[in-house]
Amino acid sequence: MATPQQEPTWQPISMLAMLTDHVQEGVAMAREQLATLEKGRSKPYVLDDATVARVKQVFTQTAEDNELFAEQGRRWAAMDLSAEQRRDVERYAALVEQMQTETTAILSLTDELAKQTIETVLAKSDLELGIEALLRDGRL
């Protein structure tokens, strides 16, 4: 029997700077991951099924976490804040939105790359691979 999910521990506004730093680091890491995965788009033999599955698993969890970060921002935004705190919360919310965008892009790309793993390529005939290469290079 599955256990019910525990209610998140919502953070006080005093944690805003720490969570902003955390999300900002997450955005940078996600952008690096996306750039790395983009290289696999033109090389359909580079990644294996396990790697693509692991990236998808990690960023599916990240997408769930992003929802919690967004809710935390909405909770802070609903508070009576100083002008500086409101600007900081807006910056935090913008970073969370960037993280959500990067995460969505990564998940979309992993779906594409899952069709081009080394295992998928090895399962194809030489004829299929040749035709795909010619189509990719625009020769057909």
Side-chain angles (χ1 to χ4, degrees):
M1 185 169 131
T3 59
Q5 286 191 334
Q6 192 176 8
E7 175 70 17
T9 303
W10 302 112
Q11 300 300 313
I13 195 70
S14 61
M15 296 298 289
L16 175 59
M18 189 274 304
L19 284 176
T20 298
D21 288 345
H22 177 76
V23 173
Q24 190 167 7
E25 290 172 12
V27 169
M29 185 268 313
R31 286 182 177 154
E32 287 177 26
Q33 184 67 58
L34 185 58
T36 299
L37 290 171
E38 284 287 347
K39 294 174 186 174
R41 180 178 270 151
S42 62
K43 299 177 183 174
Y45 53 84
V46 173
L47 298 173
D48 62 19
D49 287 343
T51 300
V52 173
R54 178 67 180 142
V55 171
K56 185 158 181 93
Q57 176 189 24
V58 167
F59 281 92
T60 297
Q61 181 61 54
T62 299
E64 293 172 15
D65 294 345
N66 289 341
E67 290 303 318
L68 292 174
F69 288 126
E71 178 59 25
Q72 179 67 72
R74 289 188 290 273
R75 287 172 180 256
W76 283 331
M79 296 170 65
D80 184 25
L81 302 171
S82 69
E84 181 180 355
Q85 287 174 320
R86 184 141 322 270
R87 277 191 307 273
D88 290 345
V89 168
E90 288 170 2
R91 178 174 174 264
Y92 168 84
L95 283 168
V96 169
E97 191 172 315
Q98 288 175 22
M99 186 65 185
Q100 290 170 317
T101 299
E102 298 296 328
T103 301
T104 299
I106 289 168
L107 290 172
S108 177
L109 185 52
T110 57
D111 286 342
E112 180 183 328
L113 293 174
K115 299 171 191 167
Q116 303 178 18
T117 63
I118 191 166
E119 290 88 351
T120 304
V121 171
L122 290 173
K124 293 181 181 182
S125 72
D126 290 344
L127 178 62
E128 288 174 299
L129 292 173
I131 291 170
E132 288 178 7
L134 290 172
L135 287 172
R136 193 173 40 250
D137 293 342
R139 295 183 192 174
L140 282 183

